[in-house]
Amino acid sequence: TGAEKSARADELEKEVDALSRQVRSLENTQDGDAAQVDDLSENLRQAKADVEELERKLEDSARRLQLTETDLDKAEERAEIAEEKNKALEDDLKETSAQLKSLEISEARAGDDGAAAEAQLTELQESTRAMELQVEEKDRR
């Protein structure tokens, strides 16, 4: 009958509308998912680039650290050598100071001995002159 067909047509039209809404909803969801996939893909690409940059920086830092450690080792070796030289110089200075004190003492003693020897020499010279005068006097007699 016509009323049944019309009711059936209305029903089918409602089903078509519902299906159309579902299709649009799925399309919107799919568009949203596609945008989300694009965003996630971009985030992944950026993350990979960041990781590569960080790995490069890490390698560079490791290389600089190795160079710094090598420089530190060399500096420590130079410091040890300098300390050894410093110790040797300090020992030489102590030895030289001791020798200088000994020489000063010897010089002071020699000065004292020299003054005594000079006085003795003067006495001997005077004694010699006196004897010469006595000899001359005896020769004149």
Side-chain angles (χ1 to χ4, degrees):
T1 68
E4 288 177 9
K5 286 184 182 181
S6 178
R8 179 75 181 135
D10 286 341
E11 226 177 270
L12 287 175
E13 193 174 313
K14 286 179 184 177
E15 280 183 38
V16 167
D17 285 343
L19 288 173
S20 290
R21 280 193 300 275
Q22 283 181 343
V23 167
R24 278 194 302 271
S25 175
L26 288 173
E27 286 174 348
N28 287 337
T29 301
Q30 184 182 10
D31 288 344
D33 289 347
Q36 188 176 8
V37 166
D38 288 345
D39 288 345
L40 291 173
S41 293
E42 177 59 25
N43 289 347
L44 178 61
R45 186 195 62 74
Q46 185 61 45
K48 285 180 180 179
D50 291 346
V51 166
E52 288 174 5
E53 178 69 14
L54 289 173
E55 285 175 348
R56 186 189 61 76
K57 286 181 179 180
L58 177 62
E59 289 172 3
D60 187 48
S61 294
R63 182 184 54 78
R64 283 185 289 171
L65 176 61
Q66 182 63 40
L67 291 174
T68 301
E69 287 174 345
T70 301
D71 289 346
L72 176 61
D73 290 342
K74 289 178 183 177
E76 287 174 343
E77 288 175 17
R78 288 191 306 266
E80 288 176 10
I81 291 169
E83 286 176 10
E84 290 171 5
K85 287 181 180 178
N86 188 35
K87 176 71 174 134
L89 288 173
E90 286 175 354
D91 292 344
D92 287 348
L93 178 61
K94 285 178 185 177
E95 185 178 327
T96 303
S97 293
Q99 289 174 352
L100 179 61
K101 285 180 183 179
S102 176
L103 287 174
E104 287 173 346
I105 291 169
S106 295
E107 182 181 0
R109 285 184 188 156
D112 292 345
D113 292 346
E118 197 172 302
Q120 190 177 12
L121 180 62
T122 303
E123 284 178 30
L124 289 173
Q125 286 174 343
E126 288 174 3
S127 201
T128 304
R129 281 189 196 134
M131 291 172 116
E132 285 174 354
L133 287 174
Q134 287 175 0
V135 167
E136 282 179 18
E137 192 132 333
K138 282 186 183 180
D139 285 343
R140 285 186 201 159
R141 290 185 201 170

